[in-house]
Amino acid sequence: MLKETFTVMRDLPRVREIVAILIRYGLGNLVQKLGLNKGIERASDALHLPGDHEIQLMDPSVRVRKALEELGPTFIKLGQVLATRVDMFTPEWIAEFEKLQNDVPPLDFAVILPELQQVLGADPHDIFKALDSQPIGSASIAQVHRAQLQDGTEVVLKIRRPGIISKIEADLRILRHIATLAEFEFPDLRRYQPVRIVDEFAKSLRRELNLSTEARNLERFVQNFAGHDEIEIPKIWWEWTGESLNVQSYIGGIAGNDLQAADAAGMDRKVLAARGADAVLKMVLIDGYFHADPHPGNVKYLAGNRIAFLDFGMVGRLPHPRRDQIVDLLAALSQRDEHGILNVLLEWTGDTVVDEDKLASDIADFMFNYENLPLKDVPFGHMLNDVAVMMREHEITLPSDLTLLFKALITLEGLGRQLDPEFKMVPHLTPFVKEVILERLSPKTWLKNGKDNLFEAFGVLSGLPRDIGKLIKQARRGNLKVDLDLKRLDRFGNLIAKSANRLTMGIVTGALIIGSSIAMTIKTGPTLFGMPLLGFLGFVLALMNAIWLMFAIWISSKDER
């Protein structure tokens, strides 16, 4: 707690700014519940201000989205991450989070030039044949300028904004403090692990701050799509790429959301939709390494119905065990296999206790909604949203490495429908699922898995004599210990001890009252205020015990709330 207090004191000016914005958007109750107003002058009065009447009429999701926008880059990116948590938020909240845009006013090139010169180690105009001082894109972390190499090659310079790291680090410290408070104050949020979400978000954001991370991502995708001429991935120039500068090839073409320009250029929308879907599904199911945000702003259409993907700052990774679970789920969804869906969801429950019969019944009702639809007409994005709703209702938290995947698949189907109103995801999905399943069942895969299991078994057997020897030595020396971890046993023991203490005090208090009443009838002995002294002292002691009991019970009930 001392560490959190120091964090708040160090970042107090920013905390004041955050509190003021939250209160302005009608979130004063949240501020008060989290205790963010403590130590901030006049905050208690501000919590009760009526605020802007127009803001008060907005839906809570709209007010939260606007507050995140005003809070700045870190909170905007947090909102964009929360837009992937279809297992936590309803579609209305997801839709609002999706409106969060990362576009910010560009910095003057004179502000960026010293940073650029320091990174390059020379005057940028000496290195590049041409350098446009007007940015073609500006985001919260970096802005992008077109340039030309000495050989005439068109490139773009992605330059990190000066001073951005210290600002984001301050916000991340405050966010973690808020997450810790939220986890303590709101028991219903604990299953979503707010602190863990913030920690993972901080790790992801720090990776994004290092622009060489995107460069490594790009190289990986270039390798994965070697030989796929219909897909274009930017090339990296490593001699000028580092933490604060990323130099990559310039890709022109038509913006993914400019469908009129695509039509005017004679492009085939159906082909574009099909190629985009096949590319993302290859990333997910074959490579296990995918673009996490394939929305139109990160896509360009090139001559010959080719597609270019841009902005690889946020990518998703799927290890083989998780990929197998996804393939099983997608296969079950496309084949309407209720038992298969149930098995996958139960694997994702973790420590959550789930009513399996109720979950199986809900899955049956869910599949009934799509029973009469031909397989090719199944709205895949709607099915994934329905799965997310079931997970929310049964308090199943989607594993963190799958949140980006669900969002990417839903976004992908939306992009396909935007290009081609008749676009269907399932026909594109089925061949990839079959390919992965056939690969899983192939003799080569069986041989590899068998070899891995055999080596693991040999490793266990070879270490068995040594482990048994250690156990025998520990037992001989009397150092053998068995740790038995029974959940909540300590808390249960504390509750019993407290209850026993209160019961004992209650009995003693009752005995004092009875004994004092008897003593009051005795007319001999010392008196006080005309009453027998022993009887009077007994009543006083009983009153003190009663007050202590009531106070202890009140404190206990307050802690439980």
Side-chain angles (χ1 to χ4, degrees):
M1 186 59 69
L2 184 61
K3 181 180 177 181
E4 282 80 5
T5 303
F6 175 73
T7 296
V8 173
M9 293 303 296
R10 176 170 53 169
D11 301 316
L12 193 57
R14 178 60 172 158
V15 173
R16 285 198 185 100
E17 184 181 354
I18 291 171
V19 168
I21 291 172
L22 292 178
I23 292 172
R24 187 184 313 137
Y25 285 95
L27 303 172
N29 288 336
L30 176 64
V31 171
Q32 201 165 29
K33 185 71 174 177
L34 292 175
L36 293 176
N37 58 309
K38 292 177 181 178
I40 298 178
E41 300 85 354
R42 297 185 299 278
S44 298
D45 296 333
L47 289 173
H48 305 292
L49 290 176
D52 191 314
H53 180 64
E54 184 179 346
I55 291 176
Q56 300 300 321
L57 294 177
M58 295 177 182
D59 289 335
S61 58
V62 177
R63 285 189 276 123
V64 169
R65 190 255 300 169
K66 286 184 170 293
L68 291 175
E69 285 177 339
E70 193 166 335
L71 285 169
T74 309
F75 290 85
I76 289 174
K77 285 193 170 292
L78 176 64
Q80 291 171 342
V81 170
L82 294 179
T84 68
R85 298 308 301 255
V86 292
D87 59 321
M88 292 176 58
F89 297 98
T90 61
E92 293 77 16
W93 282 82
I94 296 293
E96 284 301 321
F97 287 142
E98 286 177 338
K99 294 177 183 178
L100 288 167
Q101 297 298 319
N102 216 14
D103 296 331
V104 296
L107 292 174
D108 190 273
F109 190 70
V111 177
I112 289 180
L113 188 57
E115 176 86 6
L116 187 58
Q117 188 164 348
Q118 181 179 357
V119 172
L120 294 172
D123 188 336
H125 296 93
D126 294 337
I127 295 176
F128 300 102
K129 183 178 180 180
L131 177 57
D132 191 351
S133 62
Q134 295 300 316
I136 59 173
S138 178
S140 56
I141 290 179
Q143 64 185 48
V144 182
H145 292 258
R146 285 186 66 175
Q148 197 176 74
L149 302 182
Q150 295 297 335
D151 62 2
T153 303
E154 295 281 344
V155 295
V156 294
L157 276 59
K158 196 170 186 178
I159 309 160
R160 189 171 65 193
R161 287 173 171 257
I164 190 66
I165 292 182
S166 60
K167 295 177 183 178
I168 287 181
E169 287 295 340
D171 281 347
L172 289 176
R173 288 192 296 270
I174 296 169
L175 267 176
R176 198 181 193 285
H177 178 67
I178 292 174
T180 303
L181 293 173
E183 202 164 286
F184 179 77
E185 292 290 345
F186 301 101
D188 291 343
L189 289 180
R190 288 172 192 163
R191 68 185 176 94
Y192 294 117
Q193 300 175 301
V195 172
R196 182 177 176 183
I197 289 176
V198 169
D199 287 344
E200 290 176 352
F201 166 68
K203 187 188 301 182
S204 172
L205 188 53
R206 289 186 180 111
R207 280 199 301 264
E208 197 171 346
L209 282 169
N210 186 344
L211 299 186
S212 63
T213 301
E214 181 184 2
R216 288 191 293 271
N217 292 340
L218 281 168
E219 284 207 329
R220 177 77 174 270
F221 282 100
V222 167
Q223 293 173 4
N224 290 343
F225 281 94
H228 291 263
D229 295 335
E230 73 280 7
I231 302 298
E232 182 81 13
I233 307 291
K235 175 189 172 184
I236 288 292
W237 273 263
W238 279 106
E239 56 265 44
W240 300 301
T241 293
E243 289 190 10
S244 56
L245 176 64
N246 180 320
V247 180
Q248 55 185 268
S249 55
Y250 170 75
I251 295 181
I254 298 171
N257 52 7
D258 194 352
L259 298 182
Q260 290 183 346
D263 291 336
M267 293 184 176
D268 189 329
R269 287 200 197 181
K270 290 182 181 293
V271 173
L272 291 172
R275 287 180 172 175
D278 289 344
V280 175
L281 290 174
K282 176 188 180 301
M283 296 177 192
V284 172
L285 300 178
I286 306 300
D287 305 328
Y289 197 74
F290 60 95
H291 194 301
D293 196 15
H295 65 75
N298 290 333
V299 173
K300 284 199 173 183
Y301 306 132
L302 309 177
N305 295 315
R306 297 166 62 244
I307 294 180
F309 289 94
L310 309 175
D311 193 358
F312 287 81
M314 184 183 294
V315 299
R317 298 169 182 82
L318 284 181
H320 278 284
R322 189 70 79 198
R323 190 187 68 167
D324 288 342
Q325 292 176 351
I326 285 299
V327 169
D328 291 340
L329 176 64
L330 297 179
L333 286 172
S334 61
Q335 297 168 11
R336 300 183 178 89
D337 178 6
E338 299 173 10
H339 186 67
I341 297 172
L342 176 63
N343 286 340
V344 175
L345 294 186
L346 289 177
E347 287 186 48
W348 291 345
T349 55
D351 296 330
T352 305
V353 179
V354 176
D355 186 341
E356 291 188 27
D357 292 336
K358 177 67 167 60
L359 180 58
S361 175
D362 288 348
I363 290 174
D365 292 340
F366 153 67
M367 294 308 298
F368 180 76
N369 296 330
Y370 303 99
E371 186 173 359
N372 296 322
L373 279 176
L375 184 61
K376 66 181 181 64
D377 293 334
V378 170
F380 189 73
H382 289 173
M383 290 184 77
L384 282 181
N385 274 322
D386 289 344
V387 170
V389 169
M390 274 194 299
M391 294 179 73
R392 282 198 303 271
E393 291 176 349
H394 288 270
E395 298 187 350
I396 301 173
T397 303
L398 191 65
S400 58
D401 54 352
L402 293 180
T403 56
L404 289 175
L405 173 62
F406 266 50
K407 182 62 180 172
L409 290 176
I410 293 171
T411 303
L412 174 62
E413 187 176 46
L415 177 60
R417 290 276 175 86
Q418 183 179 341
L419 282 166
D420 175 16
E422 297 179 358
F423 174 80
K424 311 292 183 187
M425 175 73 87
V426 174
H428 293 275
L429 180 66
T430 305
F432 285 97
V433 171
K434 287 181 178 178
E435 181 180 345
V436 174
I437 292 176
L438 289 174
E439 179 189 350
R440 191 193 301 175
L441 299 176
S442 69
K444 181 181 178 181
T445 303
W446 278 84
L447 183 62
K448 181 182 181 301
N449 292 338
K451 188 192 300 183
D452 292 342
N453 292 334
L454 191 61
F455 281 134
E456 186 175 350
F458 276 133
V460 173
L461 289 174
S462 63
L464 195 58
R466 183 178 62 254
D467 295 337
I468 292 176
K470 286 183 179 179
L471 287 174
I472 293 173
K473 287 180 181 178
Q474 288 177 347
R476 191 179 295 158
R477 296 169 182 168
N479 295 330
L480 185 63
K481 297 179 181 179
V482 178
D483 291 331
L484 185 61
D485 184 14
L486 297 179
K487 290 183 177 180
R488 301 184 179 179
L489 186 60
D490 292 341
R491 184 172 182 270
F492 182 66
N494 291 335
L495 288 174
I496 291 178
K498 287 181 181 179
S499 300
N501 290 339
R502 291 173 189 170
L503 180 62
T504 301
M505 290 297 293
I507 293 173
V508 170
T509 301
L512 283 171
I513 292 173
I514 295 172
S516 300
S517 300
I518 296 173
M520 283 294 188
T521 62
I522 301 174
K523 303 300 182 183
T524 60
T527 61
L528 183 65
F529 303 121
M531 294 179 286
L533 179 62
L534 289 178
F536 179 80
L537 293 177
F539 275 124
V540 171
L541 190 57
L543 177 63
M544 292 173 63
N545 284 349
I547 292 173
W548 179 86
L549 271 175
M550 288 187 291
F551 182 74
I553 292 171
W554 178 74
I555 289 293
S556 177
S557 63
K558 185 178 180 183
D559 290 341
E560 290 175 359
R561 289 199 298 269

